Amino acid sequence: MTENRRLTFTEEARRRQIVDCTIGLMSERGHAGTSLSAIAAAAGISKAAVLYHFTSKDKVIEAALAHVLDAYVAAVSQQVEAAPDAEGMIVAYIGAAMRHLGEHPTHVRVIVEVLANTGAAAPGTTGATQRWQAVASMIDLGKEAGRFRDVDSRVMALAIGGALDGVVAEWIADPTFDLDAAATELQTAVLLALRAG
C-alpha cells in the first residue's frame, strides 16, 4: 500500500494481524525462517495481500519491531512517570523493563533476531541513544536533588542498559532464571552505585 491516506479500520486490523503473525514466527523460527510466504500462511491470507500492506519482508519486520518497541516504551514509561522521585524512577525503570520483557518473551526474541540479522537499533543508533539519554535524565534529576553523587550520567545509563541486556540474555538462554530476583538485585546495586553519601 503506497498511498498516503488514512487507513480504514479493516486495513488497520489486517496490518496488526500481519504484524502479530510476524512476531510469532520470528519468535519460533528466527529471522531467516520468517518469509513472506510463512507470514501469509500464518495470517491465512495470500502473499500478495501481505505485499499490499507492506512492500517487502523488511517492511513487515520493521513494523513488527516498531510495535514491540512501542509496547515496551509505553509500559516502562507509565511506571517511570508515576514514580515520586529520581530513585523511584530508576527502580521503576529497571522493574518495569524486566517485568515487561518477562511477560512478552516473543517480543524479546524479535528484538534479538532483528539485532542479530539486520543491525537495526544497534548501539549508536537512534533507539539506543534515546534509551541511554532517558536513563541519564533520571540520573541527572537525582544529582540535582542531591540524592545521587556526581557520577557521569551517560556512563551510568549505559552501564544500567548493559546490565539489563545481560540479565535478559541470561533469561533467554535459561528460562528458569528468576527475572524478578534479578530485577531486585539490579535495583539495589544501581542505587548503591548512585546514592550520595
Side-chain angles (χ1 to χ4, degrees):
M1 185 182 316
T2 57
E3 303 168 23
N4 226 354
R5 63 174 176 79
R6 192 172 194 81
L7 298 176
T8 67
F9 176 79
T10 304
E11 288 168 336
E12 286 279 9
R14 178 65 78 193
R15 287 172 68 90
R16 177 60 193 269
Q17 178 195 24
I18 293 167
V19 164
D20 288 344
C21 289
T22 302
I23 290 169
L25 285 168
M26 286 188 74
S27 175
E28 293 169 15
R29 303 181 186 181
H31 186 275
T34 305
S35 65
L36 284 172
S37 297
I39 294 166
I45 58 177
S46 68
K47 184 175 170 181
V50 175
L51 288 170
Y52 171 77
H53 292 281
F54 300 96
T55 55
S56 66
K57 173 183 169 177
D58 287 346
K59 293 296 182 189
V60 183
I61 290 174
E62 281 176 25
L65 179 63
H67 173 75
V68 163
L69 294 178
D70 287 349
Y72 173 81
V73 169
V76 174
S77 297
Q78 182 180 24
Q79 296 299 310
V80 170
E81 289 166 10
D85 55 25
E87 280 198 12
M89 292 169 84
I90 292 289
V91 167
Y93 172 74
I94 294 168
M98 295 279 205
R99 192 175 317 106
H100 180 79
L101 295 173
E103 291 170 356
H104 299 88
T106 57
H107 289 196
V108 176
R109 287 177 176 80
V110 167
I111 294 168
V112 169
E113 285 296 318
V114 171
L115 279 171
N117 291 281
T118 69
T125 64
T126 302
T129 301
Q130 288 173 342
R131 179 182 177 195
W132 76 253
Q133 286 175 340
V135 177
S137 69
M138 297 177 218
I139 295 169
D140 288 339
L141 286 173
K143 287 165 43 177
E144 290 164 14
R147 298 296 303 248
F148 296 160
R149 62 190 181 85
D150 188 23
V151 296
D152 183 317
S153 298
R154 182 177 186 175
V155 170
M156 286 302 297
L158 290 168
I160 292 166
L164 276 169
D165 292 346
V167 168
V168 171
E170 183 64 21
W171 172 69
I172 290 170
D174 177 9
T176 66
F177 185 67
D178 189 338
L179 277 182
D180 291 334
T184 300
E185 287 290 346
L186 186 53
Q187 288 163 333
T188 301
V190 167
L191 289 180
L192 286 172
L194 289 173
R195 281 180 177 146

